[in-house]
């Protein structure tokens, strides 16, 4: 008896009382409530509160919403918060520090709280700093910037202002979102189920279990040069990263590799993003047997893998010698981090799942540039310089330069990547760009080769190309032999059936995938974008 009640101090009457209070507060819309129904959730037993919290909040709620920019001399910024429904802000310059460029005070008036127990969380950012605070009381608040970081920040804030972001889920929702994000990157069953749940919720993806065994007895004699390997990792560090990549791009696979046969008939796998003995992600060419054994026995991300055979007519055009020459020239080079995010961003506003936007991307980059400057240089600084035609500018300098030119950061991000750009460590190709560059060198894009930038392609863009087999009778005999659902490609590993919407449907065209939106959950795209 004692053990059955020790998990919670709540009695049935007390739970009933809280339920009545929640209902009462929900209906008292015309009056300011002493609390909001959501504010009471932490008071409920975990087995009651967490299912409700999970339905109200998710990992995406961790992302702040851009409110506006406060700059001196401009109109006040006004918005509705998660807690306080009437808010205004303005920025005042001062020189309390006695420094050359002085500092500033951000004044925020928070009013009309919807309850006595709620609070609003905010993030404030310039290209040179990011800070945060929270407000619990309805009154005037201030955020101090004692001293601007030199002339550049002073000029930037004077012209563009301080960016204001609201954590729209509030304190409770943000903590819940953190709880949802953390497992995405854990190498556990919890992490795997969290990744699947995220993709189901935010993309509408479905994960149907396949009949066992979940690994195909592959015979390599029916695998040829150019056949694509689409890979989906669903747990651990790469599983979490791929989940977010899939969400923003609409791809149902997060990694890829390609098959190649040498002149003696031996089968190899080319892969950009293979970890070498130093722990570096590089471009590697591995014997099939070595690659396949690793995926079956050592890859702890629980990969789901499908083989996408080329169509015979396409294969007949594929210059394997040229493909090998390209692959050998790239072997050992670093994975293409430089242009990774730019294959996703094609437009000013239609590639950012809410509440993501270019302001938030800039603030995220600012934080990482301060914490990991080498990482930032590799991920975006060089690529942003390429788009500006400059060299050596760090992120803050880039943002200032964009402002000087009368442009905007969102337009800069949307400038298409160019396949012939050379970075400090050579040409930069992500997993799929490496494969598509090989296809270009091998002649599969024909006369369009010079007018298609494959570094602009996501994995979804690649498997939508009409390069692959259309006749199921020509697929390898072992293809999907353990599954009662016959896919148009060959899933060779994984518990969950791989879906690739739009597979094999799109003919290449000039400037393909340079201006395509990608908003969930439909990820609709216009023709010839």
């Amino acid at each position: 008896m004692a053990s059955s009640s020790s998990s919670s101090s709540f009695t049935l009457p007390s739970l009933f009382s809280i339920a009545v209070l929640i209902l009462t507060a929900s209906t008292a819309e015309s009056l300011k409530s002493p609390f909001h129904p959501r504010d009471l959730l932490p008071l409920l037993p975990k087995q009651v509160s967490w299912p409700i919290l999970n339905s109200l909040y998710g990992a995406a709620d961790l992302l702040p919403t851009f409110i506006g920019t406060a700059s001196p001399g401009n109109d006040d910024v006004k918005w509705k918060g998660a807690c306080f429904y009437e808010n205004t802000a303005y920025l005042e310059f001062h020189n309390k520090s006695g420094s050359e460029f002085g500092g500033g005070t951000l004044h925020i008036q928070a009013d009309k709280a919807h309850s006595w127990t709620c609070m609003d969380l905010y993030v404030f950012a310039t290209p040179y700093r990011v800070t945060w605070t929270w407000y619990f009381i309805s009154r005037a608040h201030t955020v101090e910037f004692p001293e601007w970081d030199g002339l550049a920040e002073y000029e930037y804030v004077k012209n563009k202002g301080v960016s204001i972001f609201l954590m729209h889920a509030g304190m409770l929702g943000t903590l819940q979102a953190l709880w949802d994000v953390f497992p995405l990157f854990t190498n556990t069953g919890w992490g795997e189920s969290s990744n699947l749940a995220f993709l189901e919720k935010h993309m509408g993806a479905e994960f149907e279990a396949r009949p066992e065994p979940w690994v195909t007895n592959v015979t390599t004699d029916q695998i040829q040069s150019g056949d694509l390997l689409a890979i989906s990792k669903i747990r651990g560090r790469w599983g979490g990263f791929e989940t977010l990549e899939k969400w923003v791009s609409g791809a149902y696979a997060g990694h890829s590799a390609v098959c190649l046969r040498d002149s003696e008939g031996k089968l190899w796998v080319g892969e950009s993003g293979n970890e070498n003995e130093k722990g570096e992600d590089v471009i590697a060419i591995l014997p099939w047997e070595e690659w396949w054994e690793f995926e079956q026995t050592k890859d702890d991300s629980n990969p789901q893998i499908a083989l996408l055979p080329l169509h015979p007519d396409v294969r007949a055009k594929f210059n394997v010698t040229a493909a090998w020459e390209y692959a050998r020239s790239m072997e050992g080079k670093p994975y293409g981090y430089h242009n990774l995010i730019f294959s996703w961003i094609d437009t000013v506003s239609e590639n950012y799942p809410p509440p993501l936007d270019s302001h938030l991307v800039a603030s995220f980059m600012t934080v990482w540039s301060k914490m990991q400057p080498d990482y930032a240089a590799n991920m975006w600084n060089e690529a942003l310089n390429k788009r500006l035609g400059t060299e050596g500018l760090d992120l803050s300098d880039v943002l200032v330069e964009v402002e000087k030119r009368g442009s905007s950061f969102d337009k800069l991000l949307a400038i298409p990547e160019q396949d012939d750009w050379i970075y400090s460590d050579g040409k930069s190709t992500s997993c799929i760009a490496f494969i598509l560059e090989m296809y270009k060198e091998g002649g599969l894009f024909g006369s369009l080769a010079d007018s298609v930038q494959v570094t602009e392609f996501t994995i979804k863009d690649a498997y939508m190309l009409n390069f692959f087999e259309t006749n199921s009778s020509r697929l390898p005999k072992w293809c999907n032999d353990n599954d009662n659902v016959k896919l148009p490609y060959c899933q060779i590993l994984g518990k969950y059936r791989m879906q690739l919407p739009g597979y094999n449907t799109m003919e290449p065209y000039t400037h393909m995938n340079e201006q395509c939106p990608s908003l969930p959950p439909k990820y609709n795209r216009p023709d010839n974008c």
Side-chain angles (χ1 to χ4, degrees), residues 185-384:
F185 298 89
T186 61
N187 190 13
T188 62
W190 176 36
E192 181 174 314
S193 61
S194 296
N195 278 290
L196 300 185
F198 183 99
L199 296 172
E200 288 171 342
K201 178 178 180 179
H202 296 287
M203 290 183 68
E206 297 180 356
F207 296 91
E208 299 175 350
R210 300 196 303 151
E212 295 191 61
W214 297 325
V215 57
T216 298
N217 185 18
V218 174
T219 55
T220 59
D221 58 309
Q222 292 182 285
I223 301 176
Q224 304 299 328
S225 290
D227 291 349
L228 179 67
L229 292 157
I231 305 165
S232 177
K233 303 186 178 189
I234 56 177
R235 65 194 297 175
R237 174 172 62 101
W238 283 111
F241 174 82
E242 285 192 16
T243 289
L244 299 179
E245 177 191 7
K246 293 167 188 172
W247 173 49
V248 299
S249 68
Y252 277 60
H255 187 51
S256 55
V258 67
C259 299
L260 285 169
R261 283 196 182 275
D262 62 20
S263 57
E264 297 179 357
K266 182 177 176 61
L267 185 64
W268 300 77
V269 174
E271 182 179 34
S272 179
N274 187 276
E275 187 173 315
N276 64 16
E277 63 277 2
K278 298 179 181 179
E280 302 165 333
D281 295 317
V282 299
I283 296 173
I285 303 173
L286 305 170
W288 166 269
E289 294 79 11
E290 179 182 336
W291 182 87
W292 184 226
E293 180 185 4
F294 176 85
E295 295 302 329
Q296 292 181 78
T297 62
K298 298 178 183 178
D299 191 338
D300 57 11
S301 67
N302 194 8
Q304 321 289 296
I305 302 177
L307 176 76
L308 283 49
L310 290 180
H311 189 280
D313 294 342
V314 175
R315 193 186 312 282
K317 296 188 296 183
F318 189 46
N319 185 330
V320 178
T321 300
W324 265 108
E325 288 178 0
Y326 171 77
R328 292 297 188 196
S329 73
M330 295 295 290
E331 188 175 14
K333 293 187 181 298
Y335 174 81
Y337 285 109
H338 292 293
N339 47 33
L340 178 63
I341 68 170
F342 296 97
S343 64
W344 149 50
I345 302 174
D346 290 347
T347 68
V348 169
S349 61
E350 295 182 278
N351 296 111
Y352 303 103
L356 267 180
D357 62 13
S358 61
H359 299 90
L360 185 56
V361 170
S363 295
F364 171 81
M365 289 179 174
T366 298
V367 172
W368 274 101
S369 295
K370 300 298 183 184
M371 296 172 59
Q372 299 283 347
D374 293 339
Y375 175 92
N378 198 27
M379 282 292 288
W380 48 71
N381 282 2
E382 284 195 55
L384 293 173

